[in-house]
Amino acid sequence: MILSLNWLKDFVDVTDVDVKKFCDDMTHTGSKVEQFELLGEEIQNVKVGLIEKIEQHPDAERLVICQVNAGEKTIQIVTAAKNVFEGALVPVCYCPDGEKRVAKLAGGMEIKTGKLRGVLSEGMFCSIAELGLDLHDMPGAPTDGILILNDIVECKPGDDICDVLKMRDTAVEFEITPNRPDCLSVIGLAREAAVTFDRNLTIPAPVIKGAGGDLRDYVSVSIESDKCSRYCAKVVKNVKIAPSPLWMRMRLRAAGVRPINNIVDITNYVMIEYGQPMHAFDYACLDGSHITVRTAEDGEIFKTLDNTDRTLSSDMLVIADSKKPVGIAGVMGGANSEIKDDTATVVFESACFDGASVRITAKKLGMRTESSSRFEKGLDCENCMGAVERACQLVELLGAGEVVGGTIDVYPVKKPLATVAFEPEKINRFLGIFLSPDEMKKTLEKLEFKVEGSVITVPSFRDDVRCMNDVAEEVVRIYGYNNIASSSIVASMTQGGMSDSRVFREEMSDLLCGLGLNEIYSFSFIPARLYTKCGMAEDDVRRKSVEIANPFGEDTKTMRTTSIPSMLEVLDLNSSRNAKSASLYEMAKVFIPRENVVTNIHGLEGTLPDERIKISIGFYGAGDFFRMKGICEEILKKAGIKTAKYVANQSDPTFHPGRCADIVLGDTVLGTFGELHPVVAENYTFSCPVYVAELDLALIFENSSLEKEYTPLPKFPAVTRDFSLVCDEETEVGTLEETMRMGGVKILENITLFDVYRGSQLPTGKKSVSFSVTLRSPDHTLTVEEADKATKKILGALEHNLGVTIRS
């Protein structure tokens, strides 16, 4: 937003404020200034001169010698300009004190006294280009001759040309944040300046004399889409298209807007002054007498003011007459209703459109405009009427037409004013300042908030203020961030740290690293096809996944319910790159769908999944089934879980049916590990057996016993008994160990498996399992009789419960 300080002074008097102080203080109160420019500063010693006498140059046919009254003195200028004449008032650039002062033109060009073909020339006449102007700024001025001022502006010899042409101004460029669209206007910044410098703000209400008549005889309006919240319109007849007056052209120029003609300039002037984009339609180009705000039809072709055909879609809002669109709402008008030199009747539009809709339309069409950039930030509906009335006031002021009586104002649902609780004590605690409620109230009322008791009514143009934090920001930015005194933190402090579950997770990660595994990270979303690749059937419960509503693509749509597909993909990637071995682990998050309805932080009801952390382990070329079991045993040992069992699992389609086991604690399955099924392995690039495990970290933590119990070194020697057992092939070693421990032998200390034998010396369907059993008493040395008795009891339990016999 570029602000003309001359324009600003119409609403708040900051004449005595230095421009640098103005920029600094406005920045401190929240209106950040990027830069400022002193317009007309580079033009020095260019005055109005009156040509009193013209003589032919004695030695050049194309040159004339002019005697010019420059106010301070009469000077002589030699020129080749053809449009000069005696009595002409022209810009003349010269040094009043000879060489003591520099005369400069736009662009930094310096003019000095010299001779042309032997005749003294003390200066130079100026064209519009040499003053940094163009035909938009000075319509009708010659492009190849001297600027003649007689019919343009009242002036006298010696007047400064920048003052005469109203070129002297200060343009301040602001960086306005998206939450403050009200500051994209002169009036909005005037409000801020009035509070910043504690000045009175004057915003006069537009006054329209009117020329009688009834607007309803010309046009009516209807809104057919909720993307338009208000539509105001007025009609001007007997329009006289002409250049705008000099003061308006120069103000638009200072604001970075190119002047066009009086009607178009009025709409731009109001947009900058009020922050409300407007549009003017040529009434003669409207079919019928009715304007409709509707959505476009898919494929509808519309030519905009830049003479480009645009293909519209049904999500775009248009302004249409009875037959065709005449404007894209909030973006640009149409070439079929633009203001021309012969326009006689004009319809002024001032409306409020949905910001998101305007932004989407502008982005799709690739035509972001000044209008759309304002609408997309969300404008104030209450500003529409004031803007259209101001436009009509300017029409009468410029003599550009006659305003027809009446106003169209279609406002289906009036915008309610928001309210916020006024909590001074809470604001002081939040900001660390000590302002009284009256001081806060005074500041808020300057910003046009209404404070009554404990309720703040927010003005319609401040949609960004909705809670206590927003109110506190308004107070402190005017109070001054630099005025907040440094102080010690007085709030209660809590010592930071990790939760027990987080510490447990970190310890598990350290353990797995120590076991020779490398940590990986993978995406929580996977392609659904990986479930099939892992051997899961169509009815497998793990296929029921949470689907992302707006994924980047099909491969990022499914939130995984198991970490095994991700682990296998990483192992496969390493294998395909000819890595001979890989040992990996991941603390992988999975998402299990559930039916319970919960409420998320935004207050929207929805079903949230059960998010769980799985310990995912995988390796190839670096061990076998028993290494994987050993890793799982170390995990349980770290967690203090001593009674878990390893139960064969022959039903999981991902694993080899004879080399897979579940880790079971009571009725809870803590995890599964084993060798990858050969059929599944064929789906990848593996050339050797692959071993994978997935354990539930949360379940392991819930059942963990992290308290360490000290056990002193034994004082008495142990007795060891080795025996080989003959059992059925299906009998698991773990079942044998569990039966021995449940035999009621209190002095049983340890059981170690050291051999499994299958061969011709055993009956069919049998195997020999050899154990070394350690017996020890805590309070005396065992006798042979005690050891034999314990051994007999252990073997008896095996025979009675499992039919196991001693191998002879």
Side-chain angles (χ1 to χ4, degrees), residues 216-362:
R216 289 176 296 181
D217 295 335
Y218 290 82
V219 68
S220 59
V221 175
S222 63
I223 298 176
E224 296 181 356
S225 173
D226 58 2
K227 295 178 181 178
C228 175
S229 53
R230 189 177 189 183
Y231 194 101
C232 300
K234 287 188 77 69
V235 172
V236 177
K237 63 182 181 179
N238 298 327
V239 171
K240 302 176 183 65
I241 303 297
S244 300
L246 181 64
W247 65 267
M248 178 175 281
R249 297 200 305 271
M250 290 299 106
R251 283 193 175 183
L252 291 174
R253 178 176 179 269
V257 177
R258 187 181 68 182
I260 304 296
N261 59 50
N262 51 4
I263 298 299
V264 175
D265 290 352
I266 284 171
T267 61
N268 287 331
Y269 190 92
V270 172
M271 179 180 70
I272 295 170
E273 187 172 76
Y274 276 67
Q276 173 64 43
M278 290 187 59
H279 188 66
F281 299 104
D282 186 338
Y283 179 75
C285 298
L286 299 179
D287 290 314
S289 59
H290 187 73
I291 291 177
T292 304
V293 185
R294 61 170 175 83
T295 53
E297 298 176 2
D298 282 320
E300 195 168 10
I301 304 298
F302 177 68
K303 179 175 288 189
T304 48
L305 281 171
D306 56 2
N307 287 317
T308 302
D309 288 332
R310 313 283 180 176
T311 302
L312 309 181
S313 58
S314 58
D315 59 347
M316 299 177 182
L317 196 66
V318 298
I319 313 300
D321 58 22
S322 60
K323 295 183 179 180
K324 63 185 183 301
V326 292
I328 302 175
V331 182
M332 187 179 286
N336 56 13
S337 61
E338 68 175 319
I339 303 301
K340 302 182 182 66
D341 291 342
D342 60 350
T343 297
T345 305
V346 167
V347 178
F348 278 121
E349 166 197 283
S350 177
C352 191
F353 306 111
D354 177 66
S357 172
V358 172
R359 177 173 175 79
I360 291 171
T361 299

Side-chain angles (χ1 to χ4, degrees), residues 89 148-155 161 163-166 246:
L89 291 168
I148 305 299
L149 300 172
N150 298 59
D151 297 329
I152 295 177
V153 64
E154 291 186 5
C155 56
I161 194 65
D163 294 333
V164 168
L165 297 182
K166 304 186 184 301
L246 181 64

Side-chain angles (χ1 to χ4, degrees), residues 646-663:
Y646 298 87
V647 180
N649 182 342
Q650 298 179 347
S651 61
D652 194 314
T654 303
F655 294 95
H656 191 297
R659 299 169 190 171
C660 175
D662 290 334
I663 305 172

Side-chain angles (χ1 to χ4, degrees), residues 560-628:
R560 65 188 177 191
T561 59
T562 172
S563 62
I564 292 177
S566 300
M567 176 58 70
L568 290 178
E569 286 294 298
V570 178
L571 289 172
D572 185 52
L573 179 64
N574 282 269
S575 176
S576 67
R577 300 296 190 272
N578 298 319
K580 294 182 179 180
S581 64
S583 299
L584 310 174
Y585 81 93
E586 180 183 10
M587 296 296 176
K589 181 174 285 190
V590 299
F591 301 81
I592 312 300
R594 55 185 175 185
E595 302 300 328
N596 296 332
V597 176
V598 297
T599 303
N600 65 19
I601 59 174
H602 300 293
L604 303 175
E605 289 191 350
T607 303
L608 297 182
D610 179 16
E611 300 183 23
R612 306 185 70 82
I613 301 294
K614 299 285 188 177
I615 302 176
S616 178
I617 305 169
F619 59 80
Y620 69 86
D624 56 13
F625 177 87
F626 295 105
R627 185 200 176 197
M628 181 63 80

